[in-house]
Amino acid sequence: VHQKELDELSAIWEAVYTARDWVNEPQSYLSAPQFAEEVLLWAKQTGFNAEIFHKKQIESLKMGGLLSVNKGSVQPPVFMVLEWKPKKARGSGAKARKPVVLVGKGVVYDTGGLSLKPTPGSMDSMKCDMAGAAAVAATLGAAARMQLPVHLIGLIPATDNRPSGEAYAPGDVISISDGTTVEVLNTDAEGRLILADALHYAKKYEPQLVVDLATLTGSAVLAIGSQGAVVMGSAGSDTLAGLSKSGQAVHERLAVFPLWDEYGEMLKSHIADLKNIGGREAGAITAGKFLQHFTDYPWVHIDIAGPAFLDGESSYRGKHGTGFGVRLLLHFLKNMHNER
């Protein structure tokens, strides 16, 4: 075993355990602003760039999804823009220079808002609702440590989702930063609203690929449990196959779901451009279909609601936060570069 391989392995496990620590931190400590501070420290330690947008900047960007979900909170929202840009990236074509953008859902605690989570115990683990954001930030740190020759952008919208006198309510119509109007029928379908703003923001980078990770739906958990994550997207079969191959290699497996046009019909609203829920059937897919509306680039959505947080021991994954997605992304990004 060469020293370079040992260094790479060290960078990966440190990133996984950092992601796990963030997921396991209770909301009483890890508010959205505190999460941003943690990510800034991690960036300094590992060598990538991090910029934090605070509420005034978020308002100037008209991020209505993130601002609406945040209305019930006493803590302000943050939007994190992370970047790892290697000094020398292989390849001279325009495609080689375009970044890969990673987007992570950063709901640091989710009560469901005014659509309060109904079942006993369903809120107990909701400190894990920022597991996608944790995986993205951790991946940027490992990429920097490994000197991965891929230009990466990380985008993390972060807030908690709470009921209060100011909270957004079912029946509200909100505007996402691209101008899309959304009829909110369930305030517990909040992750897709904050991701919509981030996916629209990603357009400015003209990315070669965008991958979002999110603990998005209970439907994904009902479909395949905690044994893997649900994946769908517009990036094409080669990209989905590459991600699935990486998932098999690191035992962070993916089940590919369809994203047929007909699912979009379930999101049509009489009073807005979209509804934020599509009904009981195919909930993981209609959530993905909602996200797709805000993309105009090759895109993949990974719903990690099942494997992100475990109630019991599960082999190497341990108990509670698993850091799911970090090893998957790093394996995929490394292969993506090697196959150019």
Side-chain angles (χ1 to χ4, degrees), residues 138-159:
T139 297
L140 266 287
R145 281 258 165 91
M146 294 161 62
Q147 293 291 301
L148 203 67
V150 179
H151 184 193
L152 294 177
I153 302 291
L155 302 177
I156 298 173
T159 179

Side-chain angles (χ1 to χ4, degrees), residues 96-121:
R97 291 194 297 270
K98 290 181 179 179
V100 174
V101 178
L102 307 177
V103 178
K105 174 186 170 183
V107 176
V108 295
Y109 189 74
D110 183 21
T111 66
L114 288 177
S115 304
L116 202 64
K117 291 185 181 292
T119 55

Side-chain angles (χ1 to χ4, degrees), residues 192 199 210 212 216-217 230-237 240 255-267 282-295 297-303:
R192 65 200 69 184
L199 291 169
V210 175
D212 79 70
L216 206 63
T217 66
V230 163
V231 64
M232 63 199 81
S234 63
S237 56
L240 290 172
V256 179
F257 276 25
L259 206 58
W260 300 320
D261 290 344
E262 287 83 355
Y263 291 114
E265 297 294 315
M266 298 167 71
L267 293 168
I285 299 173
T286 53
K289 203 69 187 169
F290 181 92
L291 297 179
Q292 186 182 21
H293 175 87
F294 302 94
T295 68
Y297 38 66
W299 158 79
V300 174
H301 163 56
I302 305 177
D303 191 331

Side-chain angles (χ1 to χ4, degrees), residues 20 126 163 184 193 203 231 250 261 272 282 288 299 314:
R20 289 180 179 183
M126 282 299 102
V184 175
L193 300 177
K203 294 171 186 172
V231 64
V250 303
D261 290 344
W299 158 79
S314 177

Side-chain angles (χ1 to χ4, degrees), residues 12 100-102 139 146 148 150 152 208-211 213 231 235-250 252 254 298-300 302 325-340:
I12 293 168
V100 174
V101 178
L102 307 177
T139 297
M146 294 161 62
L148 203 67
V150 179
L152 294 177
Q208 59 170 301
L209 175 66
V210 175
V211 180
L213 283 86
V231 64
S237 56
D238 287 350
T239 300
L240 290 172
L243 277 163
S244 295
K245 186 178 177 182
S246 289
Q248 290 289 344
V250 303
E252 294 191 347
L254 302 174
W299 158 79
V300 174
I302 305 177
V326 177
R327 291 159 60 244
L328 169 70
L329 288 173
L330 290 167
H331 189 280
F332 172 74
L333 291 166
K334 191 177 177 185
N335 277 3
M336 183 180 171
H337 169 72
N338 290 339
E339 290 170 3
R340 274 185 186 156

Side-chain angles (χ1 to χ4, degrees), residues 14 18 22 38-48 141 144-145:
E14 185 182 13
T18 297
W22 283 331
E38 299 273 325
V39 172
L40 284 172
L41 180 61
W42 171 244
K44 191 174 180 181
Q45 290 171 344
T46 56
F48 67 91
R145 281 258 165 91

Side-chain angles (χ1 to χ4, degrees), residues 70-139:
N70 180 253
K71 281 176 73 176
S73 177
V74 296
Q75 296 278 359
V78 295
F79 186 75
M80 307 181 215
V81 180
L82 319 177
E83 183 174 27
W84 160 245
K85 192 167 188 178
K87 290 175 183 174
K88 290 184 180 178
R90 235 189 270 165
S92 56
K95 186 177 180 183
R97 291 194 297 270
K98 290 181 179 179
V100 174
V101 178
L102 307 177
V103 178
K105 174 186 170 183
V107 176
V108 295
Y109 189 74
D110 183 21
T111 66
L114 288 177
S115 304
L116 202 64
K117 291 185 181 292
T119 55
S122 58
M123 245 184 270
D124 293 359
S125 61
M126 282 299 102
K127 64 183 182 181
C128 82
D129 214 15
M130 37 61 73
V136 166
T139 297

